[in-house]
Amino acid sequence: MNILLMCMAGASTSLVMNKMKAALTEDQKDWKIEAHPFDRMDEVVENFDVILIGPQIAYKKKELLRKAAEIGKPLDSIAPVDYAMGNGAKILKHAQALYEGRDK
């Protein structure tokens, strides 16, 4: 699975991305996780299976959901507490559930 993390500029989301990579299990080691600013979504989204947005751009969620739906990609926000705590394992579970259609 390829996970796109969308954020404002990338600094804090890069930390979350690294926590997620560190939490990958052996059978998930081939997953790709990247963080990009939300204004680059159109450029990079085709390379990903699921999109998670950081809490700092929650105000853009409606717009980004519309774009994601147009291209058939699941999108949701990362829970603020998981983002703040860098809970990579929980964020990975959320991404997988979203990808499998079990979440939101």
Short mmCIF file of all heavy atoms in Angstrom, two decimals, residues 20-73:
data_model
loop_
_atom_site.label_atom_id
_atom_site.label_comp_id
_atom_site.label_asym_id
_atom_site.label_seq_id
_atom_site.Cartn_x
_atom_site.Cartn_y
_atom_site.Cartn_z
N MET A 20 5.56 6.44 11.40
CA MET A 20 4.79 5.42 10.69
C MET A 20 5.72 4.39 10.06
O MET A 20 5.49 3.18 10.16
CB MET A 20 3.90 6.06 9.63
CG MET A 20 2.76 6.89 10.19
SD MET A 20 1.87 7.82 8.91
CE MET A 20 1.08 6.46 8.00
N LYS A 21 6.78 4.84 9.43
CA LYS A 21 7.73 3.92 8.80
C LYS A 21 8.37 3.00 9.85
O LYS A 21 8.55 1.82 9.61
CB LYS A 21 8.80 4.70 8.04
CG LYS A 21 8.28 5.30 6.75
CD LYS A 21 9.38 6.06 6.02
CE LYS A 21 8.88 6.59 4.69
NZ LYS A 21 9.92 7.31 3.94
N ALA A 22 8.67 3.58 11.02
CA ALA A 22 9.27 2.78 12.10
C ALA A 22 8.29 1.75 12.64
O ALA A 22 8.72 0.71 13.15
CB ALA A 22 9.73 3.70 13.23
N ALA A 23 6.99 1.99 12.49
CA ALA A 23 5.97 1.08 13.02
C ALA A 23 5.55 0.00 12.02
O ALA A 23 4.75 -0.88 12.36
CB ALA A 23 4.73 1.88 13.46
N LEU A 24 6.08 0.05 10.81
CA LEU A 24 5.71 -0.96 9.81
C LEU A 24 6.12 -2.35 10.28
O LEU A 24 7.22 -2.53 10.79
CB LEU A 24 6.38 -0.66 8.46
CG LEU A 24 5.88 0.56 7.70
CD1 LEU A 24 6.81 0.86 6.53
CD2 LEU A 24 4.44 0.38 7.23
N THR A 25 5.22 -3.30 10.10
CA THR A 25 5.54 -4.68 10.45
C THR A 25 6.31 -5.31 9.29
O THR A 25 6.42 -4.72 8.20
CB THR A 25 4.25 -5.49 10.71
OG1 THR A 25 3.46 -5.51 9.52
CG2 THR A 25 3.45 -4.89 11.85
N GLU A 26 6.82 -6.50 9.50
CA GLU A 26 7.61 -7.19 8.47
C GLU A 26 6.82 -7.32 7.16
O GLU A 26 7.38 -7.11 6.09
CB GLU A 26 8.05 -8.56 8.98
CG GLU A 26 9.13 -9.19 8.14
CD GLU A 26 10.39 -8.34 8.02
OE1 GLU A 26 10.84 -7.75 9.01
OE2 GLU A 26 10.93 -8.27 6.90
N ASP A 27 5.54 -7.66 7.24
CA ASP A 27 4.74 -7.83 6.01
C ASP A 27 4.30 -6.50 5.41
O ASP A 27 3.69 -6.48 4.35
CB ASP A 27 3.54 -8.74 6.26
CG ASP A 27 2.58 -8.20 7.29
OD1 ASP A 27 3.03 -7.58 8.26
OD2 ASP A 27 1.36 -8.41 7.12
N GLN A 28 4.63 -5.38 6.05
CA GLN A 28 4.28 -4.05 5.53
C GLN A 28 5.52 -3.30 5.02
O GLN A 28 5.40 -2.18 4.56
CB GLN A 28 3.61 -3.21 6.62
CG GLN A 28 2.30 -3.77 7.11
CD GLN A 28 1.80 -3.03 8.35
OE1 GLN A 28 2.58 -2.48 9.13
NE2 GLN A 28 0.50 -3.03 8.53
N LYS A 29 6.67 -3.93 5.08
CA LYS A 29 7.93 -3.24 4.75
C LYS A 29 7.97 -2.70 3.32
O LYS A 29 8.74 -1.79 3.04
CB LYS A 29 9.13 -4.16 4.98
CG LYS A 29 9.39 -4.46 6.44
CD LYS A 29 9.80 -3.23 7.21
CE LYS A 29 10.10 -3.60 8.65
NZ LYS A 29 10.39 -2.46 9.48
N ASP A 30 7.13 -3.21 2.44
CA ASP A 30 7.13 -2.72 1.07
C ASP A 30 6.16 -1.54 0.88
O ASP A 30 6.05 -1.00 -0.22
CB ASP A 30 6.80 -3.84 0.09
CG ASP A 30 5.41 -4.43 0.29
OD1 ASP A 30 4.87 -4.33 1.40
OD2 ASP A 30 4.88 -5.00 -0.68
N TRP A 31 5.49 -1.13 1.93
CA TRP A 31 4.59 0.02 1.84
C TRP A 31 5.40 1.29 1.64
O TRP A 31 6.49 1.45 2.19
CB TRP A 31 3.75 0.15 3.10
CG TRP A 31 2.70 -0.91 3.27
CD1 TRP A 31 2.58 -2.08 2.57
CD2 TRP A 31 1.63 -0.92 4.21
NE1 TRP A 31 1.51 -2.81 3.03
CE2 TRP A 31 0.91 -2.11 4.03
CE3 TRP A 31 1.22 -0.03 5.20
CZ2 TRP A 31 -0.21 -2.43 4.79
CZ3 TRP A 31 0.11 -0.34 5.96
CH2 TRP A 31 -0.61 -1.54 5.75
N LYS A 32 4.84 2.19 0.88
CA LYS A 32 5.47 3.49 0.64
C LYS A 32 4.66 4.55 1.38
O LYS A 32 3.44 4.58 1.29
CB LYS A 32 5.51 3.80 -0.86
CG LYS A 32 6.12 5.15 -1.19
CD LYS A 32 6.31 5.33 -2.69
CE LYS A 32 5.01 5.73 -3.34
NZ LYS A 32 5.17 6.12 -4.76
N ILE A 33 5.35 5.41 2.12
CA ILE A 33 4.70 6.49 2.85
C ILE A 33 5.47 7.78 2.53
O ILE A 33 6.69 7.83 2.70
CB ILE A 33 4.72 6.26 4.37
CG1 ILE A 33 4.10 4.91 4.72
CG2 ILE A 33 3.98 7.39 5.09
CD1 ILE A 33 4.35 4.47 6.16
N GLU A 34 4.76 8.78 2.03
CA GLU A 34 5.38 10.06 1.72
C GLU A 34 4.51 11.20 2.23
O GLU A 34 3.29 11.07 2.29
CB GLU A 34 5.57 10.24 0.21
CG GLU A 34 6.60 9.33 -0.40
CD GLU A 34 6.81 9.58 -1.89
OE1 GLU A 34 6.33 10.62 -2.42
OE2 GLU A 34 7.44 8.73 -2.53
N ALA A 35 5.15 12.31 2.57
CA ALA A 35 4.45 13.52 3.00
C ALA A 35 4.67 14.62 1.96
O ALA A 35 5.80 14.82 1.51
CB ALA A 35 4.96 13.97 4.36
N HIS A 36 3.57 15.28 1.59
CA HIS A 36 3.63 16.37 0.61
C HIS A 36 2.67 17.48 1.03
O HIS A 36 1.63 17.19 1.63
CB HIS A 36 3.23 15.88 -0.78
CG HIS A 36 4.20 14.93 -1.39
ND1 HIS A 36 5.35 15.34 -2.01
CD2 HIS A 36 4.20 13.58 -1.46
CE1 HIS A 36 6.01 14.28 -2.46
NE2 HIS A 36 5.33 13.20 -2.12
N PRO A 37 2.98 18.73 0.69
CA PRO A 37 2.04 19.81 0.95
C PRO A 37 0.75 19.59 0.16
O PRO A 37 0.79 19.06 -0.97
CB PRO A 37 2.76 21.06 0.45
CG PRO A 37 4.20 20.68 0.38
CD PRO A 37 4.23 19.20 0.11
N PHE A 38 -0.38 19.99 0.74
CA PHE A 38 -1.66 19.73 0.09
C PHE A 38 -1.79 20.38 -1.28
O PHE A 38 -2.51 19.86 -2.14
CB PHE A 38 -2.83 20.16 1.00
CG PHE A 38 -3.03 21.64 1.09
CD1 PHE A 38 -3.83 22.31 0.20
CD2 PHE A 38 -2.41 22.37 2.10
CE1 PHE A 38 -4.02 23.69 0.28
CE2 PHE A 38 -2.59 23.73 2.21
CZ PHE A 38 -3.40 24.40 1.29
N ASP A 39 -1.07 21.44 -1.53
CA ASP A 39 -1.19 22.10 -2.83
C ASP A 39 -0.48 21.33 -3.95
O ASP A 39 -0.58 21.69 -5.12
CB ASP A 39 -0.72 23.55 -2.77
CG ASP A 39 0.72 23.72 -2.32
OD1 ASP A 39 1.39 22.72 -2.00
OD2 ASP A 39 1.17 24.88 -2.27
N ARG A 40 0.19 20.23 -3.61
CA ARG A 40 0.82 19.37 -4.63
C ARG A 40 0.00 18.10 -4.88
O ARG A 40 0.43 17.22 -5.61
CB ARG A 40 2.23 18.97 -4.18
CG ARG A 40 3.18 20.15 -4.16
CD ARG A 40 4.63 19.75 -4.16
NE ARG A 40 4.93 18.92 -5.32
CZ ARG A 40 5.70 17.83 -5.26
NH1 ARG A 40 6.24 17.45 -4.12
NH2 ARG A 40 5.95 17.12 -6.33
N MET A 41 -1.19 18.01 -4.28
CA MET A 41 -2.00 16.80 -4.37
C MET A 41 -2.18 16.34 -5.81
O MET A 41 -1.98 15.17 -6.12
CB MET A 41 -3.37 17.02 -3.72
CG MET A 41 -4.26 15.81 -3.76
SD MET A 41 -5.79 16.13 -2.85
CE MET A 41 -6.70 14.65 -3.22
N ASP A 42 -2.55 17.26 -6.69
CA ASP A 42 -2.80 16.88 -8.08
C ASP A 42 -1.57 16.29 -8.76
O ASP A 42 -1.68 15.42 -9.62
CB ASP A 42 -3.29 18.09 -8.89
CG ASP A 42 -4.66 18.57 -8.43
OD1 ASP A 42 -5.42 17.78 -7.84
OD2 ASP A 42 -4.97 19.77 -8.65
N GLU A 43 -0.37 16.73 -8.36
CA GLU A 43 0.87 16.26 -8.97
C GLU A 43 1.26 14.85 -8.54
O GLU A 43 1.85 14.11 -9.31
CB GLU A 43 2.03 17.19 -8.59
CG GLU A 43 1.90 18.60 -9.04
CD GLU A 43 2.98 19.47 -8.41
OE1 GLU A 43 4.14 19.02 -8.28
OE2 GLU A 43 2.64 20.61 -8.03
N VAL A 44 0.94 14.50 -7.28
CA VAL A 44 1.48 13.26 -6.72
C VAL A 44 0.45 12.17 -6.42
O VAL A 44 0.82 11.02 -6.22
CB VAL A 44 2.29 13.54 -5.43
CG1 VAL A 44 3.48 14.45 -5.72
CG2 VAL A 44 1.42 14.12 -4.34
N VAL A 45 -0.81 12.50 -6.39
CA VAL A 45 -1.83 11.59 -5.86
C VAL A 45 -1.95 10.27 -6.62
O VAL A 45 -2.28 9.24 -6.02
CB VAL A 45 -3.20 12.30 -5.76
CG1 VAL A 45 -3.83 12.47 -7.15
CG2 VAL A 45 -4.13 11.56 -4.82
N GLU A 46 -1.66 10.25 -7.88
CA GLU A 46 -1.81 9.01 -8.67
C GLU A 46 -0.91 7.89 -8.18
O GLU A 46 -1.18 6.72 -8.43
CB GLU A 46 -1.56 9.28 -10.15
CG GLU A 46 -2.70 10.02 -10.82
CD GLU A 46 -4.04 9.28 -10.72
OE1 GLU A 46 -4.09 8.04 -10.87
OE2 GLU A 46 -5.05 9.96 -10.47
N ASN A 47 0.16 8.22 -7.48
CA ASN A 47 1.12 7.22 -7.01
C ASN A 47 0.73 6.59 -5.67
O ASN A 47 1.48 5.80 -5.13
CB ASN A 47 2.50 7.85 -6.86
CG ASN A 47 3.01 8.41 -8.17
OD1 ASN A 47 2.87 7.80 -9.21
ND2 ASN A 47 3.60 9.58 -8.12
N PHE A 48 -0.46 6.95 -5.15
CA PHE A 48 -0.84 6.52 -3.81
C PHE A 48 -2.21 5.85 -3.79
O PHE A 48 -3.04 6.10 -4.66
CB PHE A 48 -0.81 7.71 -2.85
CG PHE A 48 0.56 8.29 -2.71
CD1 PHE A 48 0.98 9.32 -3.53
CD2 PHE A 48 1.46 7.75 -1.80
CE1 PHE A 48 2.27 9.82 -3.44
CE2 PHE A 48 2.75 8.24 -1.71
CZ PHE A 48 3.15 9.29 -2.53
N ASP A 49 -2.40 5.00 -2.79
CA ASP A 49 -3.66 4.25 -2.63
C ASP A 49 -4.62 4.91 -1.65
O ASP A 49 -5.83 4.74 -1.76
CB ASP A 49 -3.36 2.83 -2.13
CG ASP A 49 -2.42 2.09 -3.05
OD1 ASP A 49 -2.70 2.05 -4.27
OD2 ASP A 49 -1.40 1.56 -2.58
N VAL A 50 -4.07 5.61 -0.67
CA VAL A 50 -4.87 6.24 0.37
C VAL A 50 -4.23 7.56 0.76
O VAL A 50 -3.01 7.71 0.70
CB VAL A 50 -5.02 5.29 1.59
CG1 VAL A 50 -3.72 5.04 2.27
CG2 VAL A 50 -6.06 5.78 2.57
N ILE A 51 -5.08 8.52 1.15
CA ILE A 51 -4.60 9.86 1.51
C ILE A 51 -5.03 10.18 2.93
O ILE A 51 -6.21 10.05 3.28
CB ILE A 51 -5.20 10.92 0.56
CG1 ILE A 51 -4.94 10.56 -0.90
CG2 ILE A 51 -4.64 12.31 0.91
CD1 ILE A 51 -5.86 11.25 -1.88
N LEU A 52 -4.07 10.58 3.75
CA LEU A 52 -4.36 11.04 5.10
C LEU A 52 -3.91 12.49 5.21
O LEU A 52 -2.81 12.83 4.75
CB LEU A 52 -3.62 10.20 6.14
CG LEU A 52 -4.07 8.74 6.26
CD1 LEU A 52 -3.17 8.01 7.25
CD2 LEU A 52 -5.51 8.65 6.71
N ILE A 53 -4.77 13.32 5.81
CA ILE A 53 -4.41 14.72 5.96
C ILE A 53 -4.14 15.05 7.42
O ILE A 53 -4.78 14.50 8.32
CB ILE A 53 -5.47 15.67 5.37
CG1 ILE A 53 -6.80 15.58 6.11
CG2 ILE A 53 -5.66 15.41 3.88
CD1 ILE A 53 -7.81 16.64 5.71
N GLY A 54 -3.17 15.91 7.64
CA GLY A 54 -2.83 16.33 8.99
C GLY A 54 -3.89 17.26 9.57
O GLY A 54 -4.60 17.94 8.82
N PRO A 55 -4.00 17.29 10.88
CA PRO A 55 -5.01 18.12 11.54
C PRO A 55 -4.90 19.61 11.20
O PRO A 55 -5.89 20.32 11.19
CB PRO A 55 -4.75 17.91 13.03
CG PRO A 55 -3.91 16.69 13.14
CD PRO A 55 -3.19 16.54 11.84
N GLN A 56 -3.70 20.07 10.89
CA GLN A 56 -3.51 21.48 10.59
C GLN A 56 -4.19 21.92 9.29
O GLN A 56 -4.34 23.11 9.06
CB GLN A 56 -2.02 21.85 10.60
CG GLN A 56 -1.21 21.28 9.47
CD GLN A 56 -0.67 19.88 9.71
OE1 GLN A 56 -1.31 19.06 10.31
NE2 GLN A 56 0.53 19.62 9.21
N ILE A 57 -4.60 20.97 8.46
CA ILE A 57 -5.34 21.34 7.24
C ILE A 57 -6.75 20.75 7.23
O ILE A 57 -7.34 20.59 6.18
CB ILE A 57 -4.56 20.97 5.95
CG1 ILE A 57 -4.32 19.46 5.84
CG2 ILE A 57 -3.28 21.76 5.83
CD1 ILE A 57 -3.85 19.02 4.47
N ALA A 58 -7.26 20.47 8.41
CA ALA A 58 -8.63 19.94 8.50
C ALA A 58 -9.64 20.88 7.84
O ALA A 58 -10.66 20.42 7.32
CB ALA A 58 -9.00 19.69 9.96
N TYR A 59 -9.35 22.16 7.84
CA TYR A 59 -10.24 23.12 7.20
C TYR A 59 -10.35 22.91 5.69
O TYR A 59 -11.28 23.37 5.04
CB TYR A 59 -9.80 24.56 7.51
CG TYR A 59 -8.53 24.98 6.81
CD1 TYR A 59 -8.56 25.69 5.62
CD2 TYR A 59 -7.28 24.66 7.35
CE1 TYR A 59 -7.39 26.06 4.98
CE2 TYR A 59 -6.12 25.03 6.72
CZ TYR A 59 -6.17 25.74 5.53
OH TYR A 59 -5.02 26.11 4.90
N LYS A 60 -9.43 22.18 5.10
CA LYS A 60 -9.42 21.87 3.67
C LYS A 60 -10.05 20.51 3.36
O LYS A 60 -10.12 20.11 2.21
CB LYS A 60 -7.97 21.85 3.16
CG LYS A 60 -7.32 23.18 3.08
CD LYS A 60 -7.70 23.78 1.78
CE LYS A 60 -6.82 24.92 1.37
NZ LYS A 60 -7.39 25.58 0.19
N LYS A 61 -10.51 19.80 4.39
CA LYS A 61 -10.95 18.42 4.20
C LYS A 61 -12.06 18.29 3.16
O LYS A 61 -12.00 17.41 2.30
CB LYS A 61 -11.41 17.80 5.53
CG LYS A 61 -11.75 16.32 5.40
CD LYS A 61 -12.06 15.69 6.73
CE LYS A 61 -12.39 14.22 6.56
NZ LYS A 61 -12.68 13.59 7.85
N LYS A 62 -13.06 19.15 3.20
CA LYS A 62 -14.17 19.05 2.25
C LYS A 62 -13.67 19.16 0.81
O LYS A 62 -14.04 18.36 -0.05
CB LYS A 62 -15.18 20.16 2.54
CG LYS A 62 -16.60 19.73 2.48
CD LYS A 62 -17.51 20.90 2.80
CE LYS A 62 -18.55 20.45 3.78
NZ LYS A 62 -19.53 21.47 4.08
N GLU A 63 -12.83 20.13 0.56
CA GLU A 63 -12.27 20.34 -0.78
C GLU A 63 -11.42 19.14 -1.21
O GLU A 63 -11.54 18.65 -2.35
CB GLU A 63 -11.42 21.60 -0.79
CG GLU A 63 -10.67 21.86 -2.07
CD GLU A 63 -9.67 22.99 -1.94
OE1 GLU A 63 -9.82 23.85 -1.05
OE2 GLU A 63 -8.71 23.00 -2.74
N LEU A 64 -10.57 18.65 -0.31
CA LEU A 64 -9.70 17.53 -0.63
C LEU A 64 -10.49 16.23 -0.80
O LEU A 64 -10.16 15.40 -1.65
CB LEU A 64 -8.61 17.37 0.43
CG LEU A 64 -7.65 18.56 0.54
CD1 LEU A 64 -6.72 18.39 1.73
CD2 LEU A 64 -6.86 18.74 -0.74
N LEU A 65 -11.57 16.06 -0.01
CA LEU A 65 -12.44 14.89 -0.18
C LEU A 65 -13.06 14.88 -1.57
O LEU A 65 -13.16 13.83 -2.21
CB LEU A 65 -13.55 14.88 0.88
CG LEU A 65 -13.25 14.22 2.20
CD1 LEU A 65 -14.35 14.52 3.21
CD2 LEU A 65 -13.07 12.72 2.03
N ARG A 66 -13.49 16.04 -2.02
CA ARG A 66 -14.10 16.14 -3.36
C ARG A 66 -13.09 15.74 -4.43
O ARG A 66 -13.38 14.94 -5.32
CB ARG A 66 -14.61 17.56 -3.56
CG ARG A 66 -15.44 17.75 -4.80
CD ARG A 66 -16.11 19.12 -4.90
NE ARG A 66 -15.20 20.25 -4.68
CZ ARG A 66 -15.18 21.01 -3.58
NH1 ARG A 66 -16.00 20.78 -2.58
NH2 ARG A 66 -14.32 22.01 -3.47
N LYS A 67 -11.87 16.25 -4.32
CA LYS A 67 -10.83 15.90 -5.29
C LYS A 67 -10.52 14.40 -5.25
O LYS A 67 -10.36 13.76 -6.29
CB LYS A 67 -9.54 16.68 -5.00
CG LYS A 67 -9.55 18.10 -5.44
CD LYS A 67 -8.18 18.71 -5.16
CE LYS A 67 -8.04 20.04 -5.81
NZ LYS A 67 -6.68 20.57 -5.70
N ALA A 68 -10.41 13.87 -4.05
CA ALA A 68 -10.09 12.44 -3.89
C ALA A 68 -11.20 11.57 -4.46
O ALA A 68 -10.93 10.55 -5.10
CB ALA A 68 -9.85 12.12 -2.42
N ALA A 69 -12.45 11.97 -4.23
CA ALA A 69 -13.58 11.19 -4.75
C ALA A 69 -13.58 11.17 -6.28
O ALA A 69 -13.92 10.15 -6.89
CB ALA A 69 -14.89 11.76 -4.22
N GLU A 70 -13.19 12.27 -6.88
CA GLU A 70 -13.15 12.35 -8.34
C GLU A 70 -12.19 11.34 -8.95
O GLU A 70 -12.40 10.88 -10.07
CB GLU A 70 -12.74 13.77 -8.78
CG GLU A 70 -13.81 14.81 -8.56
CD GLU A 70 -13.33 16.22 -8.85
OE1 GLU A 70 -12.17 16.40 -9.32
OE2 GLU A 70 -14.11 17.16 -8.60
N ILE A 71 -11.15 11.01 -8.22
CA ILE A 71 -10.17 10.05 -8.75
C ILE A 71 -10.23 8.70 -8.04
O ILE A 71 -9.37 7.85 -8.24
CB ILE A 71 -8.75 10.64 -8.69
CG1 ILE A 71 -8.40 11.09 -7.28
CG2 ILE A 71 -8.58 11.77 -9.68
CD1 ILE A 71 -6.96 11.51 -7.11
N GLY A 72 -11.24 8.53 -7.18
CA GLY A 72 -11.46 7.24 -6.53
C GLY A 72 -10.45 6.86 -5.47
O GLY A 72 -10.12 5.68 -5.30
N LYS A 73 -9.94 7.85 -4.74
CA LYS A 73 -8.97 7.58 -3.67
C LYS A 73 -9.61 7.88 -2.32
O LYS A 73 -10.22 8.92 -2.13
CB LYS A 73 -7.73 8.47 -3.82
CG LYS A 73 -7.04 8.38 -5.16
CD LYS A 73 -6.11 7.23 -5.25
CE LYS A 73 -5.42 7.23 -6.63
NZ LYS A 73 -4.35 6.32 -6.71
#
